[in-house]
Amino acid sequence: QVQLAESGGGLVQVGGSLRLSCAASGRTFSGSTMGWFRQAPGKEREFVASINWSGLMTLYGDSVKGRFTISIDNTKDTVTLQMNSLKPEDTAVYYCAVTMVAGTDLQLGVNYWGQGTQVTVSS
């Protein structure tokens, strides 16, 4: 019944922007940490960004720092990822992820995964 509905993926040119959204439903997500991973063919799953429920703490993977911004609307159980200055290396399937354990690093304990949304950056 729990669902993480991702949207906003697509095809963009190098240097362009996309905004991904993830709307969580099916239970109460209060206190959760939400964020994003990505995976390209033949590559390891890579941490992208996370944000805590209050929105006061964010964490970014080194490869996206300064280009991506994560935000949360905890009244709507929705997390967004604004992606700017996109590079071909950003091409991947992006997965929304949630952990329900307070204080747990999203990278260590994911409780729910989205289906993934494709982001393609053409050079």
Side-chain angles (χ1 to χ4, degrees), residues 49-111:
S50 66
I51 188 166
N52 72 344
W53 191 248
S54 69
L56 295 176
M57 287 187 58
T58 58
L59 188 65
Y60 296 93
D62 288 341
S63 64
V64 306
K65 288 179 181 177
R67 299 188 298 119
F68 291 9
T69 302
I70 192 168
S71 60
I72 191 168
D73 182 348
N74 57 27
T75 69
K76 298 181 178 180
D77 299 341
T78 298
V79 64
T80 63
L81 185 69
Q82 179 66 46
M83 305 186 295
N84 298 325
S85 302
L86 284 163
K87 306 174 180 179
E89 307 94 274
D90 297 316
T91 295
V93 177
Y94 284 68
Y95 296 92
C96 183
V98 177
T99 180
M100 299 303 304
V101 181
T104 298
D105 191 335
L106 182 62
Q107 301 173 75
L108 300 178
V110 174
N111 292 121

